[in-house]
Structure formats: C-alpha cells, structure tokens
Amino acid sequence: MFLLQSPEVRTLDTFSAMPESFRRRERSAWADANRGGTITDSFLEGPVFDEAGNLYVSDIPWGRIFRIDAQGQWSQVAEYDGEPNGLKFLAPGKLLITDYKNGLMQLDVASGVVTPYLERRNSESFKGVNDLIFDADGNLYFTDQGQSGLHDPSGRLYRLRPNGQLDLLLNNVPSPNGVALSPDGRVLYLAVTRGNCVWRVPLLPDGSVAKVSQFFTSYGPSGPDGLAVDAQGHVLVANPGLGYVWVLNHLAEPVQVLCGIKGSSTTNLAFGGAERKQLFVTDSTYGRILTANMVTPGMPIHQGKTS
C-alpha cells in the first residue's frame, strides 16, 4: 500500500472491562470450533446503543447479552441457548440478534426473553448469520458467514424487506462479516474477513446490486470484522488480527489508525456519547470496551419498521 501522507496513529483507551463475576473460564463448544480449544471466558461483539445511552454487547460463546451504562457498569440482560453476534434495535426495547446457531432472533430487553424472528430461508438453515444493519426504509441487510473463506467463497449477503420478502444479494463472499451503509444509503460496505478486505456494494434503485468492487485491502492473520461510517463518509474498519481500527477516506486511504494494546482483538465498533462523537470498540481478547474521541460524529443507526 502506497500512501502520499501517513495516517495519524492514536491509542484506544479503556472505557470498561467485563467484571470478573461474568467471566467464564471454562471450555465451550464455540471456542473448540473457533478458537482452537482455547479457554475463552467471553467473546464480545455487536455493540449498539439504546436511546438512553446504554451500550449493549453480545457474548458469543455463552449466549449472553449485556447492558453497559454510561458509567461503565455491566448488567446481564439475557442468557439463552445461542451464539449471538450482531445487534440492532428493531424498535425501542426490542433487539434483533444475528445468532450463528439459530438465525435471526429477537430480544425483549425488559423481560430478557429471546424468541425466533427468522430462523430459516425456504426451510433451509442459514450457514451462520453474523452482522446486520437497517436502512432508512426499514430494509434489513445481514450477512450469512458460516465457515466460508477463500477455500469456500459461498458466504451470503441478504436483504429482508419490511413486507417479509427475503432477497439474496450475494452468494460468493469468502467470509462476509460486518456491514455499514454510506450516508446517502446508496452503498453498502461489506467486511470480507478471510479475503482480508472490504467490498463496496452499490444498491441500485431496482433492488439489485451490480459492479461490486473491492474497496479496501488489509493484511495480517485475521481481516476486517465490524464496520461503521461517520457523517463525512469515512469508513471505520475494526481489524481484529492487527488490533487496529482503520479510518478510511472516500479513496479508502487510511487517515487514522486507532490501536489497542498488544494482543487486542478489535472486533466491532459503534458511535455513542455526546453527539455520537465517541467511538466504542469491543476488544474480544480481553473482554473490554475501548474508546476514542472523534471529531466527526457517527451516522445515526436506523431501527426497523414494525408496522
């Protein structure tokens, strides 16, 4: 990668760490399959804020959803038989979950009850859904990653319309992961973890996609995961294998690199705080939430249409 100007390098601070009382230092089926059997006390993902400023995160191996208040205090909202990853609000108090094990699930945050939302497509189970985002019209875009990769480039990108119509937009992705939308909603950015890159997916007026391209290429042992976009159109890329968050301009040039401490696994990110100018990043290695103050606010995160 050749850059005319070196990016600004900054260090991520720690906002809050999972309390010891919530850490499970024991073997799990998820860690056996995805972490080489390493004891994994938690694996945080899916950060999203509610209207009161509380941060919600998922814990994949133990099927848990946590709420973290503005002071960094943790409480467990739900625990169920699943592997939750991405989170977005379907409506106030109703979280939609991309669950690798079960498909799309819905959580009532007041009661902690988790119920199915969309478990299968035409009676066929998903490969393993990962992340999701709503657009301004209530269309839900979500990735179906499974164990796809360069050896098996069969990961999928779906759109679920408010009327229930499910559209398969891409079926040739080597590990589709995080998703984010451009400020005008006309482009979807797609993290392709095993391809170590981010794709640019134009969303056409007729509902199709075309001229999908590779927008950004990273490097290292594990590629892009979670994505976010700010109000100026910068694309922020959580890169767990490097412990970085890339901040990219419209040419996909890094203008900032936000770094965790050595060994951090920066998996996903969300804007919150005053005027959405504070970035929050899940560090899945150490079970922490990292943070950085940003000049440009993040884009608002849309909710679903529940009519």
Side-chain angles (χ1 to χ4, degrees), residues 196 216 218-219 222-226 237-246 266-267:
N196 225 323
F216 172 71
S218 185
Y219 59 91
S222 179
D225 191 329
V237 182
N239 205 137
L242 301 174
Y244 296 167
V245 174
W246 302 102
T266 47
T267 50

Side-chain angles (χ1 to χ4, degrees), residues 27-40:
R27 184 174 177 178
S28 68
W30 180 87
D32 285 348
N34 295 281
R35 305 288 289 176
T38 302
I39 298 298
T40 304

Side-chain angles (χ1 to χ4, degrees), residues 5-306:
Q5 183 173 336
S6 297
E8 176 189 9
V9 179
R10 300 169 56 197
T11 301
L12 290 161
D13 299 317
T14 298
F15 168 67
S16 184
M18 175 182 279
E20 186 63 31
S21 60
F22 288 131
R23 295 180 182 268
R24 294 188 179 172
R25 304 186 189 279
E26 56 189 273
R27 184 174 177 178
S28 68
W30 180 87
D32 285 348
N34 295 281
R35 305 288 289 176
T38 302
I39 298 298
T40 304
D41 61 23
S42 62
F43 197 90
L44 303 179
E45 270 276 12
V48 67
F49 281 90
D50 68 11
E51 295 173 345
N54 298 301
L55 176 64
Y56 290 77
V57 296
S58 60
D59 177 24
I60 301 176
W62 304 113
R64 298 183 292 180
I65 307 296
F66 291 97
R67 178 173 50 238
I68 308 168
D69 68 18
Q71 289 71 48
Q73 300 300 307
W74 295 58
S75 58
Q76 183 172 307
V77 177
E79 180 176 352
Y80 70 105
D81 182 16
E83 294 175 352
N85 197 317
L87 306 174
K88 291 293 184 294
F89 277 95
L90 179 64
K94 304 290 185 182
L95 270 175
L96 194 59
I97 305 168
T98 42
D99 183 311
Y100 186 95
K101 188 174 183 179
N102 298 306
L104 296 178
M105 306 292 284
Q106 179 177 304
L107 165 65
D108 182 295
V109 300
S111 66
V113 173
V114 178
T115 53
Y117 188 81
L118 180 66
E119 297 176 285
R120 301 193 295 172
R121 175 181 184 263
N122 296 333
S123 79
E124 179 184 24
S125 297
F126 293 108
K127 299 172 73 69
V129 295
N130 185 286
D131 204 1
L132 71 169
I133 193 166
F134 286 103
D135 68 13
D137 296 320
N139 295 298
L140 175 69
Y141 296 88
F142 66 97
T143 51
D144 189 19
Q145 181 184 43
Q147 297 294 307
S148 62
L150 292 175
H151 69 295
D152 174 23
S154 62
R156 304 160 179 163
L157 171 68
Y158 286 103
R159 175 180 54 225
L160 180 63
R161 301 176 189 244
N163 65 3
Q165 178 178 326
L166 184 63
D167 305 317
L168 177 59
L169 300 181
L170 296 172
N171 64 0
N172 63 333
V173 191
S175 194
N177 200 321
V179 283
L181 291 165
S182 62
D184 62 7
R186 296 171 62 183
V187 171
L188 182 138
Y189 295 99
L190 173 62
V192 181
T193 303
R194 304 307 162 201
N196 225 323
C197 59
V198 176
W199 286 8
R200 183 182 185 276
V201 183
L203 302 173
L204 303 183
D206 66 358
S208 66
V209 301
K211 296 186 177 179
V212 176
S213 61
Q214 187 159 307
F215 176 70
F216 172 71
T217 303
S218 185
Y219 59 91
S222 179
D225 191 329
L227 302 178
V229 171
D230 72 17
Q232 292 185 354
H234 294 107
V235 180
L236 288 78
V237 182
N239 205 137
L242 301 174
Y244 296 167
V245 174
W246 302 102
V247 182
L248 309 174
N249 66 16
H250 69 287
L251 298 175
E253 297 169 328
V255 294
Q256 290 189 44
V257 182
L258 311 177
C259 303
I261 66 169
K262 184 177 180 180
S264 294
S265 183
T266 47
T267 50
N268 217 317
L269 61 171
F271 281 95
E275 300 179 321
R276 296 189 306 277
K277 287 186 176 181
Q278 192 171 359
L279 185 70
F280 293 83
V281 183
T282 48
D283 171 9
S284 300
T285 299
Y286 298 113
R288 304 178 304 166
I289 307 299
L290 308 178
T291 189
N293 293 321
M294 309 299 288
V295 173
T296 305
M299 288 295 297
I301 299 298
H302 298 292
Q303 297 186 3
K305 303 290 186 183
T306 57

